[in-house]
């Protein structure tokens, strides 16, 4: 057991506590020793937001810090941001994984891996908080509130957070970087926050402070959002008006720091899916943006209390059939008719039997008056069977390649065309759905698609060139921000290749 471990500060990451331990003990340059001291193993990874091996940590620091897994998760990690929006089962699995040595699936389980909301690229800090920590505590530390996905503002001082040189998820998996080494005094860059922006950041802080360690589940959030749409008048004849909700959010987040996280309106929009039956989890930032815009007069605690009033599981509908008072003779007559129909037409399923002259009448009577018996005396479901033995795959394969080659030459020249993805190219083929299902049997088609499908970077380069031509035609100067805006490329998606293309186009515009 460790004879010493630093006392944690308010809103401090566990990662930061361990980094300060290494600095205090003079082992900042010997990180392997720090890992062995704190975790009792060489395999623990330095994860800032959702660490694992917490039981090992408790076993090693128990002599100087009596704590628990739940306390560590609630007060010194970013897990409370995600828990209320997960299912109860997901939350239990995440807590178990964080306590155990098996932490490989934690980020996948909370949805970070699949989310489009980026985690911070580097550790961040507030220059004014840094000065206050040095004055009051004698050393700085990494605050949880400064490492929130999508939020790069210090709510205490209304200023922009500064990036350090330390990656948030570095390649050095066993290195704990102390804030006292990595943070430097800088001039504060003030930001005027809108009420909605202020509220979203306050919601984040409230999530970390109240530290809910239970998942509310998809059904509760589904019912809550449906009720919210109804209460705010965003429904017509029980149908949610997604366009109206989107318009309200556009107005609330117009020209704000979080406007880039709003989706475009289409069937795959997360905003539309949020107000439908939830079949997956949504990133906390998306929940909080919607709640901040639509419920500005409520605290997050009030909202969560309202969500908890809804049932955790969807009520299963049980069909109850009351006694109809029909005589046994009448019931027997209809049963006999139905049995005779099945005997006379053994190859027919229920649908075909109901289309016969007397089939529909008999079926309807039994359905209303003798449902349990009818359900036990129906023919087996007809199974659609399509023989694959007669399909000439080689011929089909060659024909696909011919069609794709011709279509590709045309599509490639179309101005303002969409990205030529594998899916888009397949949709140009006859029997597109069958091609998608049988690509393994169509090697020539698959090879052609792999060679010609357009990557996102390729398509962005095309859009940049189109934007360049457009700016020239409009007699505008070629500037980086104009190219990005005209090409509709988000700043966070600018890769090294895209940056080189932008520079080349800027130089070309100067000539």
């Amino acid at each position: 057991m460790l004879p010493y471990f630093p006392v944690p500060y308010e809103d401090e990451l566990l990662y930061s506590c361990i980094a300060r331990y290494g600095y205090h003990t003079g082992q900042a340059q010997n990180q392997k020793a720090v890992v062995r001291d704190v975790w009792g193993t060489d395999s623990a990874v330095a994860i800032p937001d959702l660490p694992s091996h917490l039981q090992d940590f408790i076993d090693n620091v128990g002599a100087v810090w009596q704590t628990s897994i739940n306390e560590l998760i609630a007060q010194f990690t970013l897990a409370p941001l995600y828990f209320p929006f997960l299912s109860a089962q997901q939350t239990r699995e995440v807590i178990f994984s964080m306590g155990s040595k098996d932490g490989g699936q934690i980020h996948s389980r909370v949805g970070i891996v699949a989310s489009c909301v980026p985690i911070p690229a580097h550790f961040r800090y507030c220059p004014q908080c840094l000065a206050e920590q040095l004055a009051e505590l004698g050393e700085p530390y990494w605050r949880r509130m400064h490492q929130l996905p999508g939020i790069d503002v210090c709510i205490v001082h209304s200023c922009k957070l500064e990036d350090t040189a330390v990656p948030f998820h570095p390649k050095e998996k066993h290195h704990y970087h102390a804030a006292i080494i990595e943070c430097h005094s800088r001039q504060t860059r003030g930001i005027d926050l809108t009420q909605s922006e202020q509220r979203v950041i306050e919601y984040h802080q409230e999530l970390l402070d109240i530290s809910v360690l239970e998942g509310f589940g998809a059904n509760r959030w589904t019912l809550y959002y449906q009720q919210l749409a109804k209460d705010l008048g965003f429904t017509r004849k029980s149908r949610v008006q997604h366009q109206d909700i989107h318009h309200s959010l556009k107005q609330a987040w117009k020209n704000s720091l979080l406007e880039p996280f709003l989706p475009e309106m289409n069937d795959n929009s997360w905003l539309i899916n949020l107000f439908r039956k939830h079949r997956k989890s949504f990133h906390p930032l998306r929940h909080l943006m919607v709640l901040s815009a639509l419920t500005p007069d409520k605290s997050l605690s009030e909202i969560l209390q309202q969500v908890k009033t809804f049932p955790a599981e969807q009520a299963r509908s049980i069909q109850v059939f009351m006694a109809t008072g029909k005589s046994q003779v009448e019931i027997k007559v209809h049963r006999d008719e139905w049995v005779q129909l099945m005997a006379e037409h053994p190859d027919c399923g229920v649908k075909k039997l109901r289309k016969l002259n007397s089939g529909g009448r008999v079926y309807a009577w039994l359905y209303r008056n003798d449902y349990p018996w009818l359900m036990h005396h129906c023919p087996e479901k007809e199974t659609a069977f399509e023989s694959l033995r007669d399909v000439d795959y080689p011929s089909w394969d060659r024909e696909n390649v011919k069609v794709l080659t011709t279509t590709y030459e045309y599509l490639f020249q179309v101005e303002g065309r969409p990205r030529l993805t594998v899916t888009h190219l397949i949709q140009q083929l006859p029997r597109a759905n069958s091609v998608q299902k049988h690509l393994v049997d169509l090697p020539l088609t698959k090879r052609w698609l792999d060679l010609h499908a357009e990557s996102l970077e390729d398509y962005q380069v095309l859009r940049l060139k189109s934007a360049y031509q457009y700016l020239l035609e409009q007699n505008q100067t070629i500037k980086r921000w104009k190219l990005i805006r005209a090409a509709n490329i988000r700043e966070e998606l600018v890769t090294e290749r895209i940056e080189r293309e932008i520079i080349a186009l800027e130089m070309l515009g100067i000539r």
Side-chain angles (χ1 to χ4, degrees):
M1 282 194 176
L2 289 180
Y4 164 77
F5 195 79
V7 176
Y9 296 124
E10 179 186 3
D11 192 44
E12 184 175 16
L13 284 169
L14 178 61
Y15 174 102
S16 175
C17 298
I18 298 171
R20 288 194 296 116
Y21 166 82
Y23 182 78
H24 291 176
T25 57
Q27 300 182 98
Q29 303 303 319
N30 186 6
Q31 288 293 315
K32 279 287 186 181
V34 174
V35 172
R36 282 194 297 271
D37 285 354
V38 173
W39 303 106
T41 177
D42 291 333
S43 61
V45 179
I47 300 175
D49 48 357
L50 303 171
S52 59
H53 290 73
L54 294 185
Q55 187 58 57
D56 292 339
F57 174 83
I58 292 171
D59 294 341
N60 279 281
V61 303
V64 290
W65 183 11
Q66 293 184 357
T67 183
S68 66
I69 291 176
N70 282 359
E71 182 183 357
L72 289 174
I73 292 174
Q75 299 183 25
F76 304 101
T77 75
L78 294 183
L81 290 178
Y82 303 94
F83 283 164
F85 310 109
L86 302 177
S87 69
Q89 179 66 23
Q90 285 175 302
T91 303
R92 286 193 295 268
E93 289 175 352
V94 171
I95 292 175
F96 176 80
S97 295
M98 293 180 74
S100 71
K101 296 178 174 63
D102 181 21
Q105 300 297 319
I106 295 175
H107 289 78
S108 298
R109 286 188 178 128
V110 301
I112 293 177
V113 174
S115 175
C116 294
V117 178
I119 61 173
H122 298 83
F123 276 90
R124 300 178 300 194
Y125 68 98
C126 164
Q128 289 196 44
C129 287
L130 173 66
E132 292 174 2
Q133 291 170 0
L134 287 170
E136 297 173 9
L137 307 172
E139 63 178 344
Y141 63 92
W142 301 117
R143 288 196 60 187
R144 293 189 296 173
M145 279 296 293
H146 292 165
Q147 321 304 329
L148 302 176
I151 305 293
D152 62 350
V153 179
C154 175
I155 191 174
V156 178
H157 300 105
S158 296
C159 65
K160 187 171 179 60
L161 296 175
E162 301 295 336
D163 285 339
T164 65
V166 183
F168 197 64
H169 284 295
K171 293 181 179 179
E172 298 173 317
K173 294 185 177 181
H174 307 286
H175 195 114
Y176 290 87
H177 297 267
I180 195 170
I181 298 175
E182 306 297 342
C183 297
H184 309 286
S185 298
R186 294 186 186 179
Q187 186 173 0
T188 302
R189 294 184 288 170
I191 292 179
D192 294 327
L193 295 175
T194 65
Q195 288 186 347
S196 296
E197 291 170 336
Q198 181 94 6
R199 196 176 305 113
V200 161
I201 302 175
E202 288 173 352
Y203 281 174
H204 279 84
Q205 189 164 25
E206 200 171 349
L207 273 176
L208 293 178
D209 289 343
I210 62 179
S211 301
V212 176
L213 296 186
E214 63 175 310
F216 289 4
N219 191 62
R220 280 175 170 161
W221 284 109
T222 296
L223 297 176
Y224 171 79
Y225 280 113
Q226 290 175 353
Q227 185 63 46
L228 180 63
K230 184 178 180 180
D231 293 343
L232 297 177
F234 288 130
T235 58
R236 292 177 193 164
K237 296 182 179 180
S238 75
R239 292 179 64 86
V240 176
Q241 301 302 302
H242 300 288
Q243 289 285 355
D244 295 344
I245 296 174
H246 184 260
H247 178 72
S248 294
L249 263 68
K250 289 288 282 186
Q251 292 297 316
W253 296 109
K254 187 176 182 180
N255 299 325
S256 73
L257 299 173
L258 298 177
E259 185 179 19
F261 294 106
L262 276 182
E264 297 298 326
M265 281 302 293
N266 56 58
D267 289 341
N268 294 321
S269 163
W270 62 260
L271 183 58
I272 289 180
N273 291 325
L274 195 68
F275 283 85
R276 289 175 173 168
K277 181 178 179 180
H278 287 204
R279 290 178 169 83
K280 62 179 181 179
S281 302
F282 297 87
H283 194 280
L285 181 62
R286 292 173 170 171
H287 281 280
L288 300 183
M289 286 178 65
V290 173
L291 297 174
S292 171
L294 300 185
T295 58
D297 57 336
K298 290 187 178 181
S299 69
L300 187 62
S301 297
E302 293 174 318
I303 294 171
L304 294 180
Q305 284 300 321
Q306 185 177 351
V307 174
K308 287 185 70 173
T309 62
F310 293 100
E313 300 293 337
Q314 184 176 6
R316 295 182 179 180
S317 58
I318 301 176
Q319 217 161 2
V320 179
F321 292 87
M322 306 297 293
T324 59
K326 301 296 181 182
S327 68
Q328 290 298 317
V329 174
E330 193 174 4
I331 290 175
K332 186 177 184 307
V333 169
H334 286 86
R335 286 182 178 180
D336 290 345
E337 283 190 72
W338 183 250
V339 171
Q340 185 177 350
L341 278 172
M342 289 194 295
E344 293 175 353
H345 306 278
D347 297 331
C348 292
V350 172
K351 287 186 177 180
K352 290 183 179 179
L353 288 175
R354 291 173 63 184
K355 290 179 181 179
L356 299 175
N357 290 335
S358 59
R361 173 184 58 79
V362 177
Y363 182 88
W365 193 96
L366 289 171
Y367 189 93
R368 288 193 297 268
N369 301 289
D370 199 13
Y371 180 83
W373 181 89
L374 177 62
M375 291 300 102
H376 285 88
H377 295 81
C378 281
E380 294 183 3
K381 290 183 179 180
E382 296 177 282
T383 56
F385 178 79
E386 179 183 353
S387 175
L388 303 180
R389 296 178 183 175
D390 299 334
V391 179
D392 186 356
Y393 285 109
S395 177
W396 187 16
D397 204 10
R398 291 190 296 271
E399 187 62 31
N400 283 341
V401 172
K402 288 181 183 178
V403 174
L404 284 170
T405 303
T406 304
T407 306
Y408 183 81
E409 292 175 357
Y410 165 74
L411 289 176
F412 196 80
Q413 305 299 326
V414 174
E415 187 175 351
R417 62 171 174 79
R419 178 182 162 198
L420 301 181
T421 61
V422 169
T423 302
H424 184 76
L425 291 169
I426 289 177
Q427 291 303 317
Q428 313 307 312
L429 290 170
R431 300 166 62 192
N433 290 338
S434 297
V435 172
Q436 185 75 54
K437 293 176 182 177
H438 296 287
L439 269 181
V440 67
D441 301 309
L442 303 167
L444 297 179
T445 304
K446 186 178 185 307
R447 191 179 307 119
W448 191 98
L449 290 169
D450 291 342
L451 289 172
H452 293 81
E454 197 169 30
S455 69
L456 179 59
E457 275 193 331
D458 291 338
Y459 188 54
Q460 288 176 330
V461 168
L462 173 69
R463 293 214 308 263
L464 280 172
K465 292 178 179 177
S466 299
Y468 173 78
Q469 292 298 328
Y470 170 77
L471 293 175
L472 286 183
E473 292 171 1
Q474 299 296 317
N475 294 320
Q476 297 189 34
T477 54
I478 308 300
K479 298 290 185 181
R480 182 183 186 278
W481 67 270
K482 289 184 178 181
L483 286 169
I484 291 178
R485 175 175 292 182
N488 195 24
I489 299 175
R490 297 204 306 270
E491 185 67 43
E492 61 267 24
L493 297 181
V494 176
T495 61
E496 292 183 7
R497 179 187 172 193
I498 300 301
E499 193 65 56
R500 289 196 300 270
E501 187 68 27
I502 292 172
I503 294 171
L505 292 174
E506 281 186 304
M507 297 298 294
L508 192 61
I510 294 174
R511 297 176 190 172

